[in-house]
Amino acid sequence: MLDERIKNDIITEVENLKDELIKLVVDTVRIPSINPTYPGIVREEVLGGESKVCEYLKPVMESIGLETDLWEEEKGRANLVGTYKGTGGGRSLIFNGHVDVVPPGPEDNWTMAGPWSGKIADGKIWGRGSCDMKGGNAAAIIALKALLKAGYKPKGDIFLENVVGEEMMNTEAGTGATIKRGYKADAAIVVEPSGPPYRLGIIPASPGVFYMVCTIKGKAVHASMRDELIRPGGGGANVGVSSIDKAFIIYEGLKKLEEEWGQTKSHPMFTRPGHFTLHPGVITGGPSGAFVISEESQIAYSIWHSPYDSEEEVKKEVEDQIFRFAQTDPWLRDNPPKVEWLLWWPPYDVPADAPICKAVATAYEGVFNQAPQYYGFAAVDDAAFLNRAGIPAITIGPGNLQVAHAPNEYVEISELIDAAKIYALTIAEWCGI
């Protein structure tokens, strides 16, 4: 537990740096840094935005005594790591956050302020990336600066990571590149927005996520022959087969599996039942239009699974269900669906009583005089890859996930300040001073 005087000294310095914290968020929001691999984006039009954010932050980090490392693992996309060398004898700590953002969408939908405005109004900073997650990145920088200004030097090393690529799991270009470059620590905090359901809750676990595409074959014929396919006495599959009709057999099978998961899949950090789901995001048929019986359909799924389940277990469970339902249909028995697993974002699951969780909880209590709330992350973030590299990593950050990726994204200024206080006290508690 931190000495009361030390705690108050640090908190006071964070409050003194309020204007600087706000400026950091506003300035970085005003730098468009759309992930260049995002679907529908012309890469050449946005490439370099992530680098510009890191180039802006580099002298900011250097001004408080950090050694900076700005490099490109992928051309045109620079990461930035600032290192503060501790005095020795303490545990090391990473603060990790991404600088890429999703596209803002139609600007007409931004009714409060433009997506790159960084407007300050109603106690909030508005704009794309303010919540997800330039606010958290800025709060980590100000946290270390406040600690140093208060006259305390961490014993352990501190790494402030601003990385590219998280929004599209380009981990090889971003967080994965920092690990490859040798940046490791005794623990890590990902500063992703960690609300709701709780403001600045502690997140020690997240689901795993698959991107899966199931392709179902049909047999093309003129649409006027549909009665031959569906009416008694018709020619049936000898004439044609609608891949769309067959796709819905698979859809119903996976919907039943989703219902089963709602009853059988649980985890102590996910108190709301049924978080683990199979979401059919895109269903396509064709490609020849309405006047041809479709010869091929696809269903693209995002599959959110429990941290308790392994990659192979989830794949087998889903594929077995598809196989079972395909066996109920003569056409699908002879023409089985094709399943492609295109992406897997691994889960993470850090015990709530792990040392890093206890250190952050102590800091939280030092700011709010009450115990924190623990819960599982609704989404995913780079803590997964830090954990897989052997670095215990959890998530806590300013912002409400419900406004991330949406028009009129914002972050509350009061929450930025509170996050910086928690981070600063965590450094003192975890690294020693």
Side-chain angles (χ1 to χ4, degrees):
M1 185 66 68
L2 290 171
D3 178 86
E4 194 71 17
R5 178 182 60 81
I6 294 173
K7 181 186 77 173
N8 291 336
D9 287 347
I10 295 169
I11 287 175
T12 297
E13 286 300 336
V14 171
E15 291 169 347
N16 290 341
L17 292 170
K18 170 186 173 181
D19 291 343
E20 192 169 329
L21 173 54
I22 292 170
K23 184 178 187 302
L24 270 182
V25 180
V26 168
D27 287 353
T28 51
V29 167
R30 287 175 175 168
I31 303 172
S33 54
I34 296 171
N35 187 306
T37 70
Y38 206 85
I41 289 298
V42 178
R43 181 184 180 90
E44 293 72 22
E45 292 180 358
V46 302
L47 186 66
E50 298 159 307
S51 297
K52 288 178 182 176
V53 176
C54 290
E55 288 162 359
Y56 170 86
L57 292 173
K58 184 175 185 290
V60 175
M61 290 186 182
E62 291 171 345
S63 71
I64 60 174
L66 276 69
E67 299 174 7
T68 58
D69 184 10
L70 181 74
W71 85 98
E72 295 179 354
E73 196 75 18
E74 184 178 305
K75 188 172 176 57
R77 310 180 72 186
N79 298 297
L80 174 67
V81 176
T83 301
Y84 181 88
K85 287 291 185 182
T87 58
R91 295 177 291 191
S92 55
L93 183 62
I94 291 171
F95 287 94
N96 171 280
H98 63 86
V99 297
D100 61 314
V101 300
V102 301
E107 291 207 21
D108 289 349
N109 292 340
W110 290 76
T111 56
M112 185 63 192
W116 314 116
S117 66
K119 179 178 178 179
I120 301 171
D122 299 333
K124 304 177 179 73
I125 300 172
W126 301 80
R128 175 60 84 230
S130 55
C131 168
D132 187 14
M133 56 181 298
K134 294 173 179 178
N137 293 340
I141 294 171
I142 292 302
L144 179 56
K145 182 170 184 176
L147 186 77
L148 297 172
K149 281 181 67 67
Y152 303 109
K153 295 182 178 180
K155 292 180 179 179
D157 296 342
I158 308 294
F159 304 97
L160 302 183
E161 298 182 349
N162 285 253
V163 302
V164 306
E166 189 267 1
E167 293 293 2
M168 288 299 295
M169 208 186 89
N170 312 134
T171 187
E172 297 85 0
T175 291
T178 67
I179 296 165
K180 175 184 172 184
R181 205 167 175 86
Y183 290 106
K184 295 188 177 182
D186 295 314
I189 294 171
V190 174
V191 296
E192 194 86 35
S194 60
Y198 307 108
R199 185 177 183 271
L200 290 167
I202 297 176
I203 295 174
S206 84
V209 180
F210 280 102
Y211 174 35
M212 182 274 282
V213 174
C214 184
T215 301
I216 300 95
K217 289 190 177 296
K219 183 177 178 180
V221 68
H222 195 286
S224 66
M225 296 291 104
R226 180 160 173 80
D227 61 321
E228 292 280 347
L229 280 56
I230 65 172
R231 302 301 183 203
N238 291 326
V239 178
V241 175
S242 168
S243 67
I244 295 174
D245 290 347
K246 302 306 179 185
F248 273 93
I249 295 173
I250 303 306
Y251 167 84
E252 287 297 331
L254 293 182
K255 186 177 179 183
K256 288 184 181 299
L257 181 61
E258 182 182 55
E259 292 168 358
E260 180 183 324
W261 279 16
Q263 301 297 319
T264 62
K265 303 290 185 180
S266 63
H267 187 281
M269 287 296 128
F270 294 87
T271 54
R272 180 192 296 178
H275 183 75
F276 309 117
T277 58
L278 297 93
H279 169 60
V282 180
I283 302 177
T284 58
S288 301
F291 293 101
V292 178
I293 298 297
S294 62
E295 61 183 346
E296 183 176 284
S297 293
Q298 289 187 330
I299 315 177
Y301 276 88
S302 62
I303 299 173
W304 300 76
H305 71 85
S306 167
Y308 287 154
D309 294 334
S310 72
E311 177 183 10
E312 293 308 317
E313 287 170 339
V314 176
K315 284 183 177 181
K316 185 177 186 306
E317 194 168 356
V318 170
E319 289 177 358
D320 285 352
Q321 184 78 345
I322 291 172
F323 175 80
R324 277 194 292 270
F325 273 74
Q327 295 307 297
T328 67
D329 179 83
W331 174 262
L332 290 178
R333 279 201 300 271
D334 294 335
N335 300 271
K338 177 184 176 183
V339 178
E340 296 176 275
W341 299 95
L342 302 181
L343 176 153
W344 181 53
W345 196 305
Y348 64 93
D349 192 5
V350 177
D353 60 354
I356 185 58
C357 291
K358 290 181 177 180
V360 175
T362 297
Y364 184 101
E365 291 168 8
V367 174
F368 296 116
N369 294 315
Q370 64 183 41
Q373 297 282 353
Y374 292 83
Y375 58 96
F377 200 26
V380 293
D381 62 22
D382 277 345
F385 303 105
L386 292 163
N387 274 292
R388 285 174 72 82
I391 305 166
I394 63 172
T395 298
I396 177 171
N400 183 329
L401 200 61
Q402 292 176 345
V403 304
H405 295 203
N408 301 314
E409 180 180 347
Y410 66 83
V411 66
E412 294 184 3
I413 291 172
S414 63
E415 198 165 334
L416 287 170
I417 296 166
D418 287 340
K421 291 175 182 177
I422 291 171
Y423 297 158
L425 294 183
T426 297
I427 295 171
E429 178 70 20
W430 178 260
C431 303
I433 51 176

